[in-house]
Amino acid sequence: MTDPAAFHDAVRDEASAVLIGNEEILEGLSIAALTRGHVLLEGVPGVAKTTIANLFARASGLEYNRIQMTPDILPADITGTHIYREPTGEFELQRGPVFANVVVADEINRATPKTQSALLEAMQEGTVTIEGDTLSLPTPFMVIATQNPIEMEGTFALPEAQRDRFQLKLTVDLPDREMERDLFDRFDDQPDIGPSSVSQVVSPEDLEAARAAVAETHVADPVREYILDLVRATRDSPDIEYGASPRATIAFLNAGKAAAAIDGRSYVIPDDIKQLAQPVLRHRLVLSTDAELGGESVDDLISELLDSVPVPEEATREGAVADQPADS
């Protein structure tokens, strides 16, 4: 399976055996997986953040490990350490839970900054260093961190540098009444339903092939200019103390390709970038003091930026297609 759209559809359809709604979250996870990105999931307790990650991993055939982050967890509890074996008289490497394809750092903001930083090298380089030895992590590798926007007592906010390493921040909302009724009925009929009810429908090899197809998705020059204009606007806004980094620009480029491929297109259009603006930017922007005191939210400011940054006329669907190479 080399078609990114088929990859996403297969995972989404299989996960729907358990999950009700949250199709946008599954699409965001597919986009990140197809572009070697990491995801920050935020939502109140009980909205199935960890379950969604588990379902995605199981349907994708990816090895899954969950780390419950707490204030007393140490970096070695994540990366691993050397353990002395008395029978052999030697130290043996005990690999930590970070050695998996999908690593869920549950409630990441409950761990101390020192422990949070244990994931930095893994997320950026795909390696971990244990007592001077640098080890490669499995391929593919993806971190999905969850956090709770309430109950902030005893938590440690992620520093900007680490937030920036997450390609997307996805918000898991409470279900509406109709969805919650469907959830109610499903669990009444099948009380034991859960991630174990989901089967593998694609393989890691399928993911690698789909990634190669995503990389070939075309981004026309006018669409590239639109991305640059949007990122620049975050840096020029008086309501934003710190705008998006160049890593955000690359996130728009890569995620835009994946979004287009999932939609069955070989080229990116401005609507792909608009769709991704909130997930790409919301965790990267730092509001000014005046904006915070005025009750502004990051999502509202991003919406205002989308309204204020014009889309180049050449970046329309026709322009995006016309600019493709002749052999596309």
Side-chain angles (χ1 to χ4, degrees):
M1 182 187 297
T2 60
D3 182 4
F7 173 90
H8 166 65
D9 291 347
V11 172
R12 180 200 60 202
D13 293 346
E14 182 63 20
S16 68
V18 175
L19 197 65
I20 294 177
N22 288 308
E23 288 85 0
E24 291 183 0
I25 306 300
L26 284 172
E27 182 174 344
L29 293 178
S30 292
I31 287 172
L34 289 166
T35 54
R36 296 173 173 81
H38 307 288
V39 175
L40 184 60
L41 287 181
E42 184 172 273
V44 298
V47 291
K49 300 184 293 295
T50 307
T51 299
I52 293 171
N54 196 346
L55 290 169
F56 180 83
R58 284 179 175 270
S60 304
L62 300 175
E63 183 185 359
Y64 165 92
N65 276 338
R66 173 180 171 271
I67 307 169
Q68 180 61 56
M69 305 294 262
T70 58
D72 60 347
I73 194 171
L74 300 174
D77 296 326
I78 295 174
T79 60
T81 188
H82 287 92
I83 297 177
Y84 181 72
R85 299 296 186 188
E86 189 172 350
T88 63
E90 296 179 349
F91 283 91
E92 179 182 304
L93 175 64
Q94 182 71 43
R95 295 173 183 255
V98 74
F99 286 88
N101 298 124
V102 176
V103 177
V104 174
D106 214 0
E107 295 187 290
I108 190 171
N109 54 337
R110 293 204 175 278
T112 62
K114 181 178 181 179
T115 300
Q116 291 172 1
S117 66
L119 289 170
L120 285 175
E121 179 186 356
M123 294 171 67
Q124 187 64 30
E125 309 294 340
T127 61
V128 295
T129 301
I130 302 174
E131 298 179 17
D133 295 329
T134 299
L135 307 172
S136 296
L137 292 168
T139 302
F141 175 73
M142 179 182 185
V143 172
I144 303 174
T146 73
Q147 64 179 18
N148 177 357
I150 61 176
E151 296 180 336
M152 301 308 292
E153 184 178 350
T155 63
F156 305 87
L158 285 175
E160 287 80 0
Q162 185 149 3
R163 293 204 307 266
D164 196 41
R165 282 173 167 79
F166 287 97
Q167 183 189 56
L168 306 174
K169 178 182 177 181
L170 306 174
T171 302
V172 186
D173 295 320
L174 289 166
D176 60 28
R177 184 181 181 86
E178 183 177 348
M179 284 185 180
E180 195 157 13
R181 178 55 188 263
D182 290 342
L183 184 71
F184 186 99
D185 293 340
R186 181 171 297 184
F187 276 84
D188 187 35
D189 294 336
Q190 301 172 273
D192 297 328
I193 193 171
S196 59
S197 306
V198 169
S199 301
Q200 176 182 342
V201 291
V202 294
S203 68
E205 291 75 22
D206 293 329
L207 175 57
E208 289 296 332
R211 282 177 168 181
V214 166
E216 297 299 318
T217 304
H218 179 65
V219 186
D221 285 342
V223 178
R224 294 171 185 261
E225 293 299 322
Y226 178 59
I227 294 172
L228 293 171
D229 289 344
L230 188 57
V231 172
R232 176 61 57 179
T234 68
R235 301 171 188 166
D236 294 340
S237 171
D239 293 320
I240 298 173
E241 187 73 21
Y242 298 105
S245 70
R247 192 180 277 123
T249 308
I250 302 302
F252 269 124
L253 176 69
N254 292 333
K257 288 183 176 184
I262 286 174
D263 200 38
R265 283 179 281 106
S266 61
Y267 54 89
V268 178
I269 60 175
D271 281 350
D272 296 323
I273 306 306
K274 291 181 178 181
Q275 167 195 336
L276 291 163
Q278 301 282 4
V280 168
L281 295 175
R282 60 163 56 111
H283 56 301
R284 291 183 160 97
L285 306 184
V286 178
L287 298 184
S288 67
T289 301
D290 288 344
E292 286 188 340
L293 292 175
E296 291 273 12
S297 73
V298 172
D299 281 3
D300 287 343
L301 281 176
I302 294 172
S303 296
E304 292 173 12
L305 289 176
L306 287 173
D307 291 337
S308 66
V309 176
V311 177
E313 186 175 345
E314 300 84 359
T316 60
R317 180 183 296 267
E318 293 78 9
V321 176
D323 188 46
Q324 289 191 84
D327 59 351
S328 294

